[in-house]
Amino acid sequence: MTGMKTIHELRATFPRPGRVEWIGLRPARRAPLLPVAQVEAHPLVGLIGDHGKLAPPRLTALTGEAGETGVRAPAPPVPGGPGRRQVTLIQAEHLPVIAALCGRTEVTPEALRRNLVISGIPLLALKDARFQIGEVILEGTGECHPCSRMEETLGEGGYNAVRGHGGLTARVIRGGLIRKGDTLIPL
């Protein structure tokens, strides 16, 4: 059988790129999400403005003597390590599914409390993979499971309605701007 792809090749093949449909930030814990047209992603903190996060202050250069031994920088983040939930993404195609499961006509991105709504690409296929959105490179770190707030927001059974449709968590590998309308490309 020639032409058969390996499972690794199949997992790396997508029919088309994704697209950023919506961006939202929470100014503080439990605060409502605010839609924005663009956001800055930073590797040390995630999305600037989400949960009140600010860009870290500029680091000043260290001085030393000639011949001094340098100090190794910490290892790069590993899947499952700290900062694995810097960005949350949800698939646009899942919003009507969640609404139907809740018996609602519509569920908005604000209600689901995810940062980015992405259309056109199966997000869970990006778990443990790197992808680029605009200038930013993210790494999918896991499923974004619902929290108990879904019962408050969507009503009884809201938690279970979101199960399996909650999206993806990611960490920022390379910072920059993410804009509404940007393309998501698997790397």
Side-chain angles (χ1 to χ4, degrees):
M1 296 188 147
T2 60
M4 297 269 308
K5 290 185 176 182
T6 68
I7 191 70
H8 296 295
E9 291 169 325
L10 290 171
R11 291 179 59 121
T13 304
F14 294 87
R16 62 187 177 134
R19 174 184 152 87
V20 177
E21 300 295 340
W22 186 88
I23 303 170
L25 300 175
R26 297 162 290 244
R29 186 175 181 275
R30 295 192 66 88
L33 265 82
L34 303 174
V36 296
Q38 68 179 26
V39 64
E40 182 182 353
H42 194 287
L44 297 177
V45 297
L47 301 180
I48 305 300
D50 194 41
H51 288 278
K53 294 176 188 161
L54 304 172
R58 290 188 62 91
L59 300 175
T60 56
L62 299 176
T63 59
E65 301 297 321
E68 185 176 20
T69 305
V71 178
R72 285 183 52 100
V78 294
R84 62 182 293 273
R85 197 179 162 100
Q86 291 178 324
V87 182
T88 57
L89 305 90
I90 192 162
Q91 202 165 318
E93 293 82 357
H94 287 188
L95 297 179
V97 172
I98 294 167
L101 293 172
C102 288
R104 294 171 167 246
T105 55
E106 178 185 51
V107 171
T108 65
E110 293 93 339
L112 299 175
R113 308 190 60 73
R114 303 299 186 258
N115 299 121
L116 305 175
V117 176
I118 307 293
S119 66
I121 196 162
L123 287 177
L124 288 183
L126 299 173
K127 182 180 173 221
D128 299 325
R130 290 189 177 181
F131 51 96
Q132 185 166 347
I133 303 176
E135 307 169 350
V136 176
I137 294 178
L138 299 174
E139 180 178 65
T141 55
E143 290 184 49
C144 192
H145 299 291
C147 67
S148 61
R149 295 228 21 226
M150 293 301 102
E151 294 285 307
E152 293 173 34
T153 306
L154 302 175
E156 190 171 333
Y159 175 86
N160 278 325
V162 179
R163 285 180 68 189
H165 305 289
L168 184 72
T169 59
R171 81 171 86 253
V172 179
I173 302 300
R174 183 179 79 199
L177 290 178
I178 298 173
R179 296 173 183 89
K180 186 176 173 184
D182 277 350
T183 300
L184 183 154
I185 302 167
L187 300 176

